[in-house]
Amino acid sequence: IFRKTLHTRGARVITGLGKYFRQIDKDRNGFLSQAALKEALKRFHLEMPEGDFESLWLILDDSKSDKVDYGEFTHAIFGEMNEYRKAFVRKAYMKLDFNKTGSVPMVDVRKCYCAK
């Protein structure tokens, strides 16, 4: 049900969740507590019965660290990227890494991308 709800409301919810997660992640470590995830889901009207939430938490917190990584959360919801999307990401990365160093400093990203 959770995955179906996310897919029907689409990228807008995921984008909103990502923004919300960054706002509440005060120490910028990329992790969320169980209470923070529950509050985020409630805020975006993705509430579920407690038993379903506990099952979701067990899946997301597979390291049993009592916290989940936002990247792991999105991976659990969406799964692996398909080959077309991976190729598109590689192509974009190659354009950003014009010095062919294998990494892209923020200065180079700013030369190619404007978030306005």
Side-chain angles (χ1 to χ4, degrees), residues 97-113:
D97 186 20
F98 44 83
N99 293 326
K100 307 298 181 225
T101 62
S103 65
V104 181
M106 191 53 72
V107 170
D108 290 349
V109 173
R110 285 188 186 115
K111 289 177 187 175
C112 300
Y113 180 75

Side-chain angles (χ1 to χ4, degrees), residues 3-108:
R3 185 177 259 189
K4 182 179 177 185
T5 302
L6 275 180
H7 284 294
T8 58
R9 292 175 45 204
R12 185 180 42 130
V13 171
I14 294 300
T15 303
L17 275 171
K19 184 176 179 182
Y20 180 74
F21 287 161
R22 286 187 295 279
Q23 287 173 349
I24 64 172
D25 185 14
K26 300 297 183 205
D27 56 1
R28 302 282 185 239
N29 66 5
F31 291 100
L32 296 168
S33 68
Q34 188 173 11
L37 178 61
K38 188 179 284 191
E39 178 59 32
L41 296 178
K42 182 178 178 181
R43 189 172 281 243
F44 283 84
H45 308 288
L46 296 168
E47 296 159 284
M48 60 188 74
E50 187 62 31
D52 291 349
F53 180 81
E54 292 297 326
S55 297
L56 174 66
W57 183 259
L58 289 173
I59 292 167
L60 294 174
D61 184 27
D62 60 350
S63 63
K64 307 296 179 242
S65 61
D66 289 329
K67 56 189 175 185
V68 295
D69 178 285
Y70 179 68
E72 291 174 4
F73 172 79
T74 56
H75 184 264
I77 300 304
F78 292 111
E80 286 290 326
M81 286 191 282
N82 63 34
E83 286 307 314
Y84 174 79
R85 191 165 176 208
K86 285 180 186 178
F88 192 80
V89 169
R90 280 192 290 274
K91 186 176 179 181
Y93 185 82
M94 287 169 53
K95 283 191 176 236
L96 289 172
D97 186 20
F98 44 83
N99 293 326
K100 307 298 181 225
T101 62
S103 65
V104 181
M106 191 53 72
V107 170
D108 290 349

